[in-house]
Amino acid sequence: MNVLLVYAHPEPTSLNGSIRDFAVGRLRQAGHHVQVSDLYAMNWKACLDADDSAAPREPRFNATAASRHAYDHGLQRADIAAEQEKLRWADALILQFPLWWFSMPAIMKGWVDRVYAAGFAYDVGEHSDRHWGDRYGEGTMAGKRAMLIVTVGGWESHYGPRGVNGPIDDLLFPIQHGVLYYPGFDVLPPYVVYRTGRVDAARFADIRETLGRRLDTLATAAPIPFRPQNRGDYEVPALTLRPDIAPGAVGFAAHIDRGDGGQPACGTAEGGSTNSR
Amino acid sequence: MNVLLVYAHPEPTSLNGSIRDFAVGRLRQAGHHVQVSDLYAMNWKACLDADDSAAPREPRFNATAASRHAYDHGLQRADIAAEQEKLRWADALILQFPLWWFSMPAIMKGWVDRVYAAGFAYDVGEHSDRHWGDRYGEGTMAGKRAMLIVTVGGWESHYGPRGVNGPIDDLLFPIQHGVLYYPGFDVLPPYVVYRTGRVDAARFADIRETLGRRLDTLATAAPIPFRPQNRGDYEVPALTLRPDIAPGAVGFAAHIDRGDGGQPACGTAEGGSTNSR
């Protein structure tokens, strides 16, 4: 497979740097082709603005219209076009980052904001009262796989079903469902390392073992069974779950098809199991 | 009151610009003092890195250690220190942004990543197996209020309890709970504008009416009743809800004290009601 690893950490000799190096080595040993977008090393421009297009400036900058025009007419900044080309090349995308304030670092959010152009990652397909775009399971990335590698300073229990920070799978839902599944990726359960301040040689050996297994099954592991938007589960254009789909269930978990007949589950800590499970 | 409005939109003449101007005017008419941090206009540096401190570079950059050292020794970059000073000055913080990929734009995430220094917004208070920091209801921002103003392209139903994108209150939980409540802010329900592509004069009049009421009650409205970390609801150091608190409930909603005796509710679309409610 062709694998694109998008990596956001300011320190090459960090735990994240070691994990990245291990992942790249493991994938290459298995015969995969790997490209790395090291956003800090690339001095990635984080902020979406009018400079992202070579088109003459409109009096009033509209992010979607400008993105669409630049994408359609080959007027995108070269850094954006290059990342899109890597995404087209890739069979699998890995986003690796430390969890900062319960989300990705700004530099990686800026990769999403800018690379995910209108016509490329959104605003794809028919948009009408009958069909609200090719998204959530369809779109440019359909058929490709994606996975998060996330490092977290706190303890696993802090991110458990009743942990104070909220369940990790719910915290990652805006990324896994909203950033990855939206343009069509099949999203594998995330690989999460907790308590990063206390990673000694024994724990790093465990990371190599468990992450190694995850990378070895990148092409075959079952993705999180998010519900495709256009399979019939949702009313259009309201885009709410049909009454007979997971009746009574609300929240993130309702958008995962557990094949359990749609019984509502209390709470939402079900966004895909992590790590070795 | 002193109100800090942190604003992230690249186009001054956008709907967001109009909403900001209205909000600032309304607050000033009511006698409040207002400062605006217009992040795009400030050309805000989004990416946290070793340049955020004037201290000599360590061979290996550790974000938390560098932030702590710079904060403690007056070695932070001036832009960071200035924003912290505004936060100290403020009685209320408003974050205003368009929802991009189900979160804030990169430039505002970079405001959080960089301004929220160690010793200022995290790593505050005793950290031990008995007390895991002054956070979630305690901390530097305790006694201050905060509110989000968010614009959204999609329909309200797309962000409802069973909407395809996930409930807006759950999508905003990492910000409202993780970014605002964590350092101590009391968080008011968000003000959300949907379907921003279709705001005509009548709808903008409605925005003025409903947002105006929200701004008029900024000092008095009831905050979202998130559970304080150190009130006894959580086990320490696991930081999981005590078994007798909201027994059986999991997910984001379990961290909101509805005063209902802790009956588990199915789903989590309960993160504070929005707008006119």
Side-chain angles (χ1 to χ4, degrees), chain A residues 85-135:
Chain A
E85 196 50 42
K86 291 180 195 171
L87 283 169
R88 287 194 194 88
W89 165 87
D91 302 301
L93 168 69
I94 296 174
L95 300 182
Q96 184 192 338
F97 58 90
L99 195 71
W100 286 356
W101 297 105
F102 308 104
S103 187
M104 47 177 60
I107 199 169
M108 184 173 280
K109 183 56 167 50
W111 182 89
V112 175
D113 289 347
R114 297 180 62 240
V115 175
Y116 270 33
F120 179 69
Y122 70 107
D123 206 8
V124 173
E126 178 189 342
H127 275 75
S128 71
D129 279 0
R130 292 174 300 116
H131 184 96
W132 201 273
D134 297 344
R135 56 177 213 171

Side-chain angles (χ1 to χ4, degrees), chain A residues 40 48 100 136 157 162 165 238, chain B residues 40 48 109 136 157 163 165 238 246:
Chain A
Y40 272 96
L48 180 159
W100 286 356
Y136 289 127
S157 64
R162 287 167 59 83
N165 297 327
Chain B
Y40 271 96
L48 180 159
K109 183 55 165 52
Y136 289 127
S157 64
N165 297 326

Side-chain angles (χ1 to χ4, degrees), chain B:
Chain B
M1 288 204 300
N2 294 336
V3 182
L4 173 61
L5 174 61
V6 180
Y7 168 83
H9 197 282
E11 174 51 52
T13 70
S14 61
L15 172 64
N16 264 280
S18 300
I19 290 174
R20 175 200 56 189
D21 293 345
F22 166 74
V24 170
R26 181 78 165 222
L27 290 166
R28 287 187 175 146
Q29 280 166 25
H32 300 302
H33 302 281
V34 183
Q35 289 192 72
V36 177
S37 290
D38 181 339
L39 300 180
Y40 271 96
M42 295 158 70
N43 196 24
W44 179 258
K45 174 181 182 288
C47 303
L48 180 159
D49 60 25
D51 292 337
D52 289 336
S53 167
R57 288 205 183 202
E58 299 284 333
R60 180 172 170 169
F61 173 64
N62 176 299
T64 298
S67 172
R68 177 96 222 185
H69 182 80
Y71 180 75
D72 286 346
H73 296 85
L75 296 169
Q76 299 179 112
R77 267 179 66 119
D79 58 349
I80 294 175
E83 294 303 303
Q84 291 168 348
E85 196 50 40
K86 292 179 194 171
L87 284 169
R88 286 193 194 89
W89 165 86
D91 302 301
L93 169 68
I94 296 173
L95 300 182
Q96 184 192 337
F97 57 90
L99 195 71
W100 287 355
W101 297 106
F102 307 103
S103 187
M104 47 177 59
I107 199 169
M108 184 173 280
K109 183 55 165 52
W111 183 88
V112 175
D113 288 348
R114 297 180 61 241
V115 175
Y116 270 34
F120 179 68
Y122 70 107
D123 206 8
V124 173
E126 177 188 342
H127 275 76
S128 71
D129 279 358
R130 292 174 299 116
H131 184 96
W132 201 274
D134 298 343
R135 56 178 213 172
Y136 289 127
E138 298 178 321
T140 303
M141 310 304 168
K144 301 176 187 289
R145 305 185 139 230
M147 184 175 106
L148 302 183
I149 297 178
V150 184
T151 61
V152 177
W155 297 13
E156 183 164 5
S157 64
H158 303 174
Y159 293 87
R162 287 166 60 81
V164 68
N165 297 326
I168 191 69
D169 289 323
D170 289 344
L171 292 168
L172 297 179
F173 184 90
I175 301 172
Q176 298 194 138
H177 185 260
V179 170
L180 295 175
Y181 191 59
Y182 185 107
F185 285 108
D186 287 324
V187 185
L188 305 186
Y191 182 81
V192 183
V193 179
Y194 294 95
R195 220 175 169 181
T196 50
R198 301 289 178 89
V199 176
D200 55 12
R203 282 201 60 208
F204 195 73
D206 179 70
I207 290 170
R208 291 167 62 97
E209 176 66 27
T210 52
L211 176 57
R213 280 203 301 269
R214 293 296 312 276
L215 295 171
D216 292 346
T217 57
L218 193 60
T220 55
I224 301 169
F226 291 127
R227 297 183 189 278
Q229 176 177 289
N230 299 316
R231 186 181 62 180
D233 292 19
Y234 296 91
E235 312 261 20
V236 182
L239 298 183
T240 49
L241 283 165
R242 271 180 21 207
D244 57 315
I245 301 290
V250 298
F252 294 161
H255 304 287
I256 299 174
D257 182 4
R258 293 285 176 202
D260 57 2
Q263 291 306 303
C266 278
T268 64
E270 310 185 39
S273 59
T274 56
N275 297 2
S276 54
R277 279 174 285 171

Side-chain angles (χ1 to χ4, degrees), chain A residues 9-56:
Chain A
H9 197 283
E11 174 51 53
T13 70
S14 62
L15 172 64
N16 264 281
S18 299
I19 290 173
R20 175 199 56 188
D21 293 344
F22 166 74
V24 170
R26 180 77 164 224
L27 290 165
R28 287 188 175 145
Q29 281 166 26
H32 301 301
H33 301 280
V34 182
Q35 289 193 71
V36 177
S37 290
D38 181 339
L39 299 181
Y40 272 96
M42 295 158 71
N43 195 25
W44 179 258
K45 174 181 181 290
C47 302
L48 180 159
D49 59 25
D51 292 337
D52 289 337
S53 167

